[in-house]
Structure formats: C-alpha cells, structure tokens
Amino acid sequence: AVSDTMNIQFKSKVKEVCKVKGCWMVVELPEGEQAMIRFKDYGFFMPSDIVNKEVILNGIAFVEEMSVEDQRHFAKDAGKNSSDISKINTPKRTFSFEASGVLVPN
C-alpha cells in the first residue's frame, strides 16, 4: 500500500544492485537508512557494476510495508544464501522509491 508519496529528485550512493538483471537497487539515505529503488513500469535496468557510485534519481518516494515473500525474493536476487533468506520471517517497513529516471555519471 502506497501512502504519503513525494515526487523528488536526489543524489545518493548505490549500496546494492540486483545480481540477476539489475531490476532494483538499494541506495543510502541519511542517518544510516537505505531505500529500495525499483524502476517505473519495469522499463529499464541498472548495470551491476555501479555499487558505491553516486547516482541521481528522479521519481516517487514512499514508505511501504514489504512482505516476507518480497524480502526473500530480493534477498535471493542479491545473492544471499538460503540460511540468511530463511531468517526473514516478518514484514518490514521500508523507504521505497519508484524511479522514472536514473543518471549514472561516467
């Protein structure tokens, strides 16, 4: 469920990218927080070699409750082992972002 959405543009450092096909990434936020970034209409993907690079994101920010099933899916995509994945057993409140565009500087 989406609530309290904001249209914003911001710059952040990439912490993680989907190892399967670049269909999501995690970026850092202030105070040690992180945001899960997905791409509008599944319309584009990120290269896997941009971890620790700064990117500029444009889109919609929101808070959501991520299901256990989705958390496990993303953990698998990130290359986590089955032991770590099996420890995911409660929904988690997350900062999320649907990007309509991402600028990856050279």
Side-chain angles (χ1 to χ4, degrees):
V2 174
S3 62
D4 298 329
T5 62
M6 290 177 19
N7 263 306
I8 61 169
Q9 183 176 70
F10 71 103
K11 184 189 292 189
S12 186
K13 186 184 283 188
V14 177
K15 301 304 292 175
E16 202 173 352
V17 177
C18 172
K19 289 178 174 32
V20 177
K21 58 182 169 189
C23 53
W24 56 262
M25 67 182 171
V26 174
V27 299
E28 61 184 33
L29 297 175
E31 299 174 24
E33 297 283 358
Q34 296 183 332
M36 168 64 83
I37 313 297
R38 284 168 274 199
F39 309 110
K40 185 170 175 62
D41 301 327
Y42 215 56
F44 56 97
F45 305 97
M46 290 294 109
S48 58
D49 64 354
I50 62 168
V51 172
N52 291 320
K53 289 190 177 174
E54 272 208 337
V55 295
I56 299 170
L57 301 124
N58 191 68
I60 300 170
F62 55 95
V63 176
E64 72 175 341
E65 186 160 286
M66 190 180 292
S67 70
V68 170
E69 183 181 340
D70 283 353
Q71 289 179 71
R72 288 180 173 175
H73 174 87
F74 291 126
K76 184 178 177 193
D77 282 357
K80 303 273 193 278
N81 65 46
S82 57
S83 171
D84 287 344
I85 292 170
S86 69
K87 292 175 188 167
I88 299 169
N89 56 21
T90 55
K92 180 172 91 173
R93 211 164 156 76
T94 62
F95 294 107
S96 295
F97 193 81
E98 181 183 88
S100 55
V102 179
L103 177 65
V104 182
N106 289 334

